[in-house]
Amino acid sequence: MENQDIEEIRQAVRQLCSNYSEDYWLGLDRTGGYPTDFVKELTTSGFLTVLIPEEYGGAGLGLREACVVMEEVCRSGAHAGACHAQMYVMGSVLRHGSDYQKKTYLPKIAAGELRLQSFGVTEPTTGTDTTSLKTVAKKEGDEYVINGQKVWISRIEHSDLMVLLARTTPQSEVSKKTDGLSAFLIDVQAANGNGLTIQPIESMINHHSCELFFDDLRIPADNLLGEEGKGFRVILDGMNAERILIAAECIGDGRYFVDKASAYATNRIVFKRPIGQNQGVQFPIARSYTQVEAAALMVDKAVDLFDAGEPCGAEANIAKLLASEASWQAGDVCMQTHGGFAFAKEYHIERKFRETRLYQIAPISTNLILSFVGEHVLKMPRSY
Amino acid sequence: MKVLVTAKRVVDYNVSIRVLSDNSGVDLNNVKMSVNPFDEIAIEEAVRLKEAGKVEEVIVVSIGTSACGEQIRTALALGADRGILVETEEDMQPLAIAKVFKALIEKEQPKMVILGKQAIDGDNGQTGQMVAALSGLAQATFASEVVVNDDDTATVTREVDGGLEVISVKLPAIITTDLRLNEPRYASLPNIMKAKKKPVDTYSPEDLGVDVTPRVKTLKVTPPAERAAGIIVETVEELVDKLKNEAKVIS
């Protein structure tokens, strides 16, 4: 039995989510709308402040509790992509921000007054090859001037602040390629139209992703996050938490699909008996269940290590890989179980199917995880 | 003023229950347990009265094994101020529970006791009435609206068979909740955290001087009969004939 805190949080989030039906999410999917009221309720009831320490107005809990929130959001038929970043992007400020930055921003993030849910790292010509990114920030007096381009920056139109990674020293002038990058806090509302142009990308799922163009955007030098030239660390430190949370979302999706598939297989009568009575229908669902549960164990392991402050890079990556594949498998089986009805939008399966597909690509693709495991866990030669 | 509310530990309403093979009861092993939904309504009502400034303290009571502490915690997270656990391994029946409440009423002197009108496990629907009778207090059962007045009375709308009945009761009074009284909230994260720091007192029935020996013996528990398959009739005449002569529902 889970400890009681976890159970209480699970129940509360489940009840909160039940106020937002699947039709609500379908409606937003159709119009590309943002679930403003849902995110607001999740914020004001405290569930996005899990990881913010109590001294800054958060709950001061661990990743375990954060994972339960995200899992339940996904399990309810929602898509956590609209809000999960508010939970962990603030980690950059918490771990690397100055005292002033922490005291200024964290309480407002905890209260929901400031939305910090965008990470500006990926660029059109440098995807996972982060250190080759081309956006530059040049210091001029007490300002930085930013030029360049970013892509797949989610929720930027629904954020007050973003964390941006840009090069402050050319790659040719640093000894380590991870040096010379710096992280900045950008006031999105102030920047928009004043050197920052935001262009939404029409995409397969309702994820509010955008392309950003920086053209002489001037920001106060105080907005540097951490040390100049050490920004790669700022980004890297948040990655394990992000991967584990995403894995928990996959578990939520996986359980959503298994629940839906088994219920439908039990109730749908064809040839005068439930289709789930046929092993050809039943076994794939049972197998999906075993895969989701196995992946959930790996997520548990990664969470335990993370919350204990132990290294967990391998476990976080493995959990994300297994969970994203398990949720995808479960989604596929759920579609097959529903037959033609799976294609009817009102059954919601095709929407969740599209949404859960993302997790094998973002925030890191399966192949990159396999490279990581091959190189860092199994000590084989680096493949890229 | 103080209010006592209940938080009975019952099998969660989402669980499909299974009768034990020896027909002695329902299988409770590894089954998710929750607060009785009617008690959740009672807790919600008390918390709302507190938020409206009518009530100073909400005390939640659960009676049973130490595991009932979980239901008390849930109620504390929903806004109750402190908890009382009356711990016993005994099978607690309505009369015994009512006696425990009588003792707690004498101890705490609440102005109101709000209970669920029934619990979804035994469906007895008699504890509130017994508490009122044993304590000699007014009762307003099946409440769908509760208004606390300034003159030490409460106006309660009751859901009765024919419709709604509005009565006035003198406080202290016993109130039992019906489904439409309110919609219980979920606990916010800060309140879940605060609940852990709220005090919970534990007593045994002996501490309260109550004899909780069961008076009712359960002979047999069986699942409801499976519904038999229907038949398709060929003609209207055949249907009328069967309704008349077989089912005997028309004459």
Side-chain angles (χ1 to χ4, degrees):
Chain A
M1 194 64 92
E2 283 179 323
N3 85 40
Q4 206 190 339
D5 276 355
I6 300 289
E7 188 51 38
E8 296 271 353
I9 292 171
R10 193 181 283 287
Q11 284 310 320
V13 175
R14 196 171 284 181
Q15 203 177 329
L16 187 163
C17 290
S18 70
N19 296 334
Y20 299 85
S21 70
E22 287 201 81
D23 286 337
Y24 169 83
W25 295 101
L26 175 60
L28 292 171
D29 188 63
R30 281 192 181 122
T31 57
Y34 185 78
T36 309
D37 37 0
F38 172 77
V39 175
K40 197 170 169 207
E41 187 170 351
L42 203 58
T43 309
T44 52
S45 54
F47 292 107
L48 291 180
T49 72
V50 171
L51 297 170
I52 301 176
E54 282 178 282
E55 57 176 311
Y56 299 115
L61 296 168
L63 198 62
R64 158 96 33 216
E65 289 81 0
C67 281
V68 168
V69 174
M70 287 301 134
E71 183 195 322
E72 285 302 323
V73 167
C74 282
R75 193 173 186 172
S76 77
H79 183 49
C83 58
H84 58 193
Q86 178 79 356
M87 219 173 215
Y88 60 79
V89 178
M90 68 82 210
S92 317
V93 179
L94 179 62
R95 282 184 299 269
H96 299 277
S98 64
D99 247 11
Y100 173 78
Q101 286 169 331
K102 285 194 262 190
K103 284 188 184 134
T104 307
Y105 297 119
L106 292 177
K108 287 182 180 161
I109 294 168
E113 292 162 22
L114 272 183
R115 296 163 302 168
L116 169 56
Q117 47 180 359
S118 264
F119 240 142
V121 179
T122 305
E123 298 189 358
T125 54
T126 56
T128 312
D129 188 5
T130 303
T131 56
S132 303
L133 62 80
K134 295 188 175 62
T135 298
V136 291
K138 200 172 154 214
K139 196 161 183 190
E140 283 183 11
D142 54 4
E143 287 181 324
Y144 280 97
V145 183
I146 299 170
N147 280 287
Q149 194 180 342
K150 296 282 172 186
V151 72
W152 300 118
I153 309 308
S154 298
R155 300 164 296 269
I156 185 83
E157 294 172 294
H158 307 281
S159 295
D160 302 300
L161 294 170
M162 79 177 291
V163 174
L164 177 79
L165 191 65
R167 196 156 265 295
T168 40
T169 310
Q171 208 171 2
S172 54
E173 293 171 27
V174 290
S175 50
K176 270 168 56 193
K177 62 180 181 172
T178 51
D179 283 346
L181 295 167
S182 301
F184 299 93
L185 268 174
I186 308 285
D187 180 338
V188 179
Q189 308 303 331
N192 195 7
N194 297 307
L196 168 66
T197 307
I198 299 173
Q199 204 168 299
I201 303 170
E202 203 175 358
S203 69
M204 181 168 127
I205 63 169
N206 188 21
H207 208 267
H208 316 280
S209 291
C210 293
E211 201 167 2
L212 309 184
F213 301 91
F214 297 91
D215 185 12
D216 282 338
L217 171 67
R218 292 179 170 272
I219 60 162
D222 291 347
N223 285 19
L224 178 71
L225 199 51
E227 260 182 79
E228 187 181 295
K230 301 287 177 201
F232 190 66
R233 198 71 246 170
V234 175
I235 304 299
L236 204 64
D237 277 356
M239 285 188 174
N240 286 338
E242 184 187 34
R243 268 164 218 180
I244 298 170
L245 276 171
I246 296 284
E249 291 173 21
C250 294
I251 300 300
D253 275 356
R255 289 179 172 156
Y256 167 91
F257 288 126
V258 170
D259 287 349
K260 277 241 158 155
S262 53
Y264 189 78
T266 306
N267 296 321
R268 167 80 169 158
I269 310 286
V270 178
F271 299 121
K272 294 182 182 162
R273 55 191 211 146
I275 57 171
Q277 205 171 333
N278 303 304
Q279 292 181 337
V281 174
Q282 187 182 95
F283 284 7
I285 301 171
R287 182 174 295 277
S288 296
Y289 175 79
T290 65
Q291 285 166 337
V292 171
E293 292 307 303
L297 279 181
M298 196 65 210
V299 179
D300 269 353
K301 183 176 177 186
V303 169
D304 282 343
L305 288 170
F306 186 96
D307 280 342
E310 304 282 335
C312 61
E315 289 79 4
N317 274 304
I318 296 169
K320 206 286 278 188
L321 183 152
L322 291 174
S324 65
E325 291 187 348
S327 75
W328 172 246
Q329 280 297 326
D332 195 42
V333 166
C334 189
M335 281 216 114
Q336 198 66 26
T337 306
H338 281 73
F341 287 108
F343 286 79
K345 286 192 179 270
E346 66 183 292
Y347 278 70
H348 306 289
I349 294 159
E350 62 83 35
R351 173 175 56 84
K352 289 288 280 182
F353 180 79
R354 284 183 279 123
E355 288 169 354
T356 211
R357 183 62 181 83
L358 171 72
Y359 295 128
Q360 286 174 85
I361 294 173
I364 186 171
S365 75
T366 302
N367 273 357
L368 257 297
I369 292 178
L370 293 172
S371 298
F372 177 92
V373 172
E375 181 187 345
H376 296 285
V377 180
L378 303 175
K379 311 294 178 201
M380 293 190 284
R382 184 181 171 94
S383 57
Y384 56 93
Chain B
M1 80 186 215
K2 272 193 214 175
V3 175
L4 284 186
V5 293
T6 46
K8 187 175 184 186
R9 179 180 172 85
V10 298
V11 174
D12 187 85
Y13 72 94
N14 280 314
V15 173
S16 51
I17 54 165
R18 206 179 60 83
V19 171
L20 292 168
S21 54
D22 65 358
N23 295 112
S24 62
V26 168
D27 189 359
L28 298 180
N29 262 328
N30 280 321
V31 169
K32 182 174 157 44
M33 305 295 281
S34 295
V35 174
N36 173 37
F38 289 105
D39 289 346
E40 280 186 335
I41 296 171
I43 296 160
E44 177 68 28
E45 194 63 18
V47 172
R48 285 186 191 188
L49 285 170
K50 188 182 169 187
E51 286 168 349
K54 298 280 188 186
V55 164
E56 279 91 46
E57 192 182 28
V58 179
I59 306 158
V60 57
V61 181
S62 194
I63 306 170
T65 64
S66 61
C68 295
E70 289 173 12
Q71 279 60 48
I72 290 178
R73 266 274 293 281
T74 301
L76 295 175
L78 291 170
D81 298 291
R82 68 184 163 96
I84 295 176
L85 169 63
V86 180
E87 199 178 330
T88 172
E89 295 290 325
E90 195 63 76
D91 167 34
M92 291 298 284
Q93 297 178 345
L95 183 60
I97 294 170
K99 287 178 183 170
V100 168
F101 266 95
K102 177 176 186 276
L104 289 175
I105 289 168
E106 282 161 11
K107 196 177 173 66
E108 296 284 350
Q109 299 289 319
K111 279 282 187 181
M112 266 196 275
V113 182
I114 312 180
L115 309 88
K117 70 167 181 177
Q118 70 195 79
I120 61 167
D121 52 359
D123 273 344
N124 291 302
Q126 51 189 216
T127 305
Q129 293 87 328
M130 286 179 172
V131 175
L134 290 177
S135 314
L137 299 177
Q139 59 175 301
T141 52
F142 315 130
S144 65
E145 194 186 354
V146 176
V147 179
V148 176
N149 306 310
D150 293 332
D151 62 352
D152 233 17
T153 63
T155 307
V156 179
T157 306
R158 303 181 60 233
E159 295 200 356
V160 293
D161 283 348
L164 298 175
E165 179 187 65
V166 182
I167 62 169
S168 174
V169 285
K170 217 167 147 262
L171 301 181
I174 312 298
I175 293 168
T176 71
T177 62
D178 217 318
L179 203 56
R180 279 156 290 270
L181 179 57
N182 58 49
E183 249 180 68
R185 70 192 68 191
Y186 57 84
S188 71
L189 186 58
N191 285 342
I192 291 173
M193 304 310 295
K194 274 186 228 155
K196 290 198 278 192
K197 296 180 186 132
K198 292 180 177 175
V200 178
D201 294 316
T202 304
Y203 305 108
S204 68
E206 295 75 48
D207 294 339
L208 300 170
V210 178
D211 172 15
V212 295
T213 315
R215 307 294 171 94
V216 179
K217 196 173 153 200
T218 301
L219 299 178
K220 196 176 176 190
V221 175
T222 53
E226 291 241 354
R227 211 172 139 185
I231 52 164
I232 294 173
V233 292
E234 298 291 331
T235 61
V236 174
E237 287 74 30
E238 192 189 344
L239 175 64
V240 172
D241 175 66
K242 287 205 182 290
L243 289 175
K244 239 183 205 167
N245 301 317
E246 212 173 295
K248 295 192 168 71
V249 289
I250 55 173
S251 53

